[in-house]
Amino acid sequence: MPDSLPPCLPRFPGRMRPLAARFRQREATIAVIGLGYVGLPLILALVEAGFHAIGLDADPGRLADLAAGHSPFRQIASGEVLAALRTNRLRLTGEGGALAEADAILVCVPTPLGPHREPDLSAVESATRLIAAHLRPGQLVILESTSFPGTTRGVMQPLLEQSGLRCGQDFFLAHAPEREDPGNAQHRTASIPRVIGGTDPASLDLALALYGAFVAHTVPVASADVAEAVKLTENTFRAVNIALMNELKLVFEPMGIDIWEVIEAARTKPFGYMPFFPGPGLGGHCIPVDPHYLTWQARAHGVATRFIDLASEINAAMPRHVLDRLAEALDRQQGRGLRGSRILVIGLGYKRNLEDLRHSPALVLMEMLEARGAEVLHLDPLVPVIPPQPDHPGLVGRRGIAPGPEALAGIQAGLIVTDHDGIDYAGLVAALPLLVDTRNACARLGLTGPHIVKA
């Protein structure tokens, strides 16, 4: 990059200069570790932008499916995978040695919670050790996985420097938290602004050069720690506001006030209000997890997180509230309890129109219902069979019922947990003697009746 560049642009000394140029000209090779809900759309965006990309995943089955042009996720069309393969710029592998060929390595591995709700960074640490084993001078490493402030600098950097290379001199390290919203066709990887923080100025400038070549807008921040804090703030904000709506639902119910009508009216205000919605509990890989990363780190610094902890308690209590509302409705309308009743759980995914079951409240409710003696069936057009679930091993392999009047005969109540499109809600209203709706799905469709209960 010539020295005559305007001062607003970063200046790249030494070996950084040709690397930054390859990023900007899309001539670099980029490796992505982890081809899940975050890594797969990321690598497809890189290939579409013109980069050569190496996709690394520990699951041979996923690699085989992708190599055959099959997407493992509904929201990512198989045609997108095929298009990337046909460019001959996408290479899929399970071999860590391929990382040595990359100019930049982006880490998109899971960061779940441990058994005591503590951060589980085992996948990040494993990926970092793999990178360190093949690290060479001049590479840029970026963590996209969500974690607490200090992970990139305090966990990844020491492991990478065990290679004998020095961060900021021999290799470069940054954090760019993923902002994927599975199922959201309006906001795709390349159109979502990306927050980027480096462990040093050189790392930040290189990361900005890379992301600036394939996303619409980059947002530099002072450090990798700040970038990590941004992602936790975004999802904690959502968790707290969902908890507020859940609590207001509990407040308004005995007053005979419909929280959904309140929200719809409140959102007409053009300033000072943002709509959030109640539900049967939190699900997914972010909102139920990320606040715990923040509170864990806060405790390590001697800081209490009373507000966040209270929100977590409220959200975690919602499945119990739903179960109580279902039991009350059964008793009031049919004179029976949960024990011995056949209950149909409708919608298993944690989010509308997704098959993702991670932390889904539907699975929690199924287990709670069975613990109360109910016979539980389920209906979800996206999940015909419940796949392996580490937290719910007793539900694995359960096959959903086929929609239709015959299958619904003899069911005492339906429980709408996730309001997928493509479900015949009118048919459910007509066939079931009781329908408990946690998502306001029936009202949105104009379906009414004394046997429809909101929870």
Side-chain angles (χ1 to χ4, degrees):
M1 186 173 291
D3 291 337
S4 59
L5 280 175
C8 60
L9 295 178
R11 300 171 183 271
F12 298 103
R15 67 165 62 108
M16 290 174 57
R17 187 172 299 165
L19 180 58
R22 287 201 301 277
F23 289 154
R24 293 193 183 282
Q25 295 163 12
R26 302 180 180 91
E27 295 174 350
T29 297
I30 315 299
V32 176
I33 301 179
L35 300 179
Y37 285 90
V38 173
L40 181 56
L42 176 65
I43 202 167
L44 293 177
L46 285 162
V47 172
E48 185 177 1
F51 287 99
H52 285 81
I54 300 170
L56 187 69
D57 199 281
D59 183 350
R62 175 165 296 176
L63 290 173
D65 285 344
L66 291 172
H70 300 144
S71 170
F73 310 119
R74 286 186 65 259
Q75 68 273 19
I76 301 174
S78 292
E80 295 181 59
V81 178
L82 280 170
L85 291 170
R86 286 169 181 159
T87 66
N88 293 320
R89 294 195 303 270
L90 175 60
R91 174 183 168 192
L92 303 169
T93 182
E95 298 298 324
L99 296 175
E101 304 170 29
D103 297 295
I105 303 168
L106 311 185
V107 179
C108 306
V109 296
T111 48
L113 294 173
H116 305 292
R117 292 189 173 184
E118 78 280 8
D120 179 358
L121 297 182
S122 57
V124 171
E125 293 170 350
S126 177
T128 305
R129 290 190 178 95
L130 183 64
I131 296 168
H134 304 283
L135 192 65
R136 60 172 174 78
Q139 286 182 305
L140 170 66
V141 179
I142 299 177
L143 177 65
E144 288 214 356
S145 306
T146 305
S147 189
F148 54 82
T151 299
T152 306
R153 172 181 47 81
V155 176
M156 292 187 72
Q157 182 174 333
L159 289 174
L160 293 171
E161 289 186 335
Q162 289 179 7
S163 65
L165 302 178
R166 300 274 73 82
C167 183
Q169 300 175 20
D170 304 311
F171 71 92
F172 307 94
L173 179 63
H175 185 76
E178 60 90 1
R179 279 180 160 176
E180 289 296 324
D181 186 16
N184 189 332
Q186 181 180 359
H187 299 292
R188 297 174 63 84
T189 303
S191 66
I192 300 170
R194 295 305 297 270
V195 172
I196 302 170
T199 53
D200 54 81
S203 296
L204 172 61
D205 286 345
L206 282 172
L208 289 170
L210 171 58
Y211 281 85
F214 75 97
V215 302
H217 182 58
T218 57
V219 183
V221 294
S223 67
D225 292 35
V226 172
E228 289 159 340
V230 168
K231 179 59 185 293
L232 294 186
T233 298
E234 292 170 358
N235 285 338
T236 300
F237 173 80
R238 294 173 66 189
V240 167
N241 280 280
I242 291 170
L244 176 61
M245 293 301 106
N246 281 330
E247 185 160 74
L248 287 177
K249 177 173 70 173
L250 302 181
V251 169
F252 291 145
E253 273 181 0
M255 301 179 190
I257 297 172
D258 185 342
I259 181 64
W260 299 94
E261 184 179 0
V262 171
I263 294 170
E264 288 305 311
R267 71 191 301 182
T268 62
K269 184 180 180 182
F271 55 89
Y273 182 82
M274 179 183 297
F276 288 84
F277 302 94
L282 291 183
H285 63 292
C286 287
I287 303 179
V289 175
D290 295 355
H292 294 290
Y293 269 67
L294 183 55
T295 57
W296 181 87
Q297 184 73 336
R299 285 194 297 271
H301 287 79
V303 179
T305 53
R306 295 187 296 273
F307 201 66
I308 301 171
D309 292 340
L310 178 59
S312 296
E313 289 178 21
I314 293 170
N315 289 327
M318 293 315 296
R320 175 66 59 187
H321 170 74
V322 169
L323 195 70
D324 290 344
R325 289 283 286 170
L326 173 58
E328 291 167 3
L330 273 173
D331 179 56
R332 182 174 62 253
Q333 296 193 13
Q334 301 179 28
R336 63 185 301 152
L338 289 170
R339 184 168 296 279
S341 295
R342 301 184 81 209
I343 308 298
L344 177 66
V345 173
I346 301 158
L348 299 189
Y350 82 84
K351 181 181 178 182
R352 180 190 302 174
N353 297 334
L354 282 187
E355 74 280 12
D356 191 348
L357 302 185
R358 287 177 293 177
H359 298 281
S360 173
L363 304 183
V364 175
L365 281 161
M366 290 176 72
E367 291 182 337
M368 293 174 70
L369 284 164
E370 291 187 341
R372 293 277 292 270
E375 179 186 350
V376 180
L377 308 171
H378 74 270
L379 170 65
D380 189 318
L382 309 182
V383 188
V385 180
I386 298 179
Q389 300 295 315
D391 296 334
H392 306 278
L395 300 178
V396 174
R398 300 274 189 97
R399 186 171 295 277
I401 68 168
E406 298 82 6
L408 298 177
I411 293 176
Q412 278 71 47
L415 176 61
I416 300 175
V417 181
T418 308
D419 51 338
H420 295 313
D421 295 335
I423 292 177
D424 182 9
Y425 295 102
L428 293 172
V429 169
L432 295 175
L434 172 64
L435 191 58
V436 176
D437 186 355
T438 71
R439 300 290 188 177
N440 203 41
C442 294
R444 287 202 312 269
L445 296 171
L447 302 172
T448 60
H451 64 305
I452 301 175
V453 175
K454 294 185 181 184

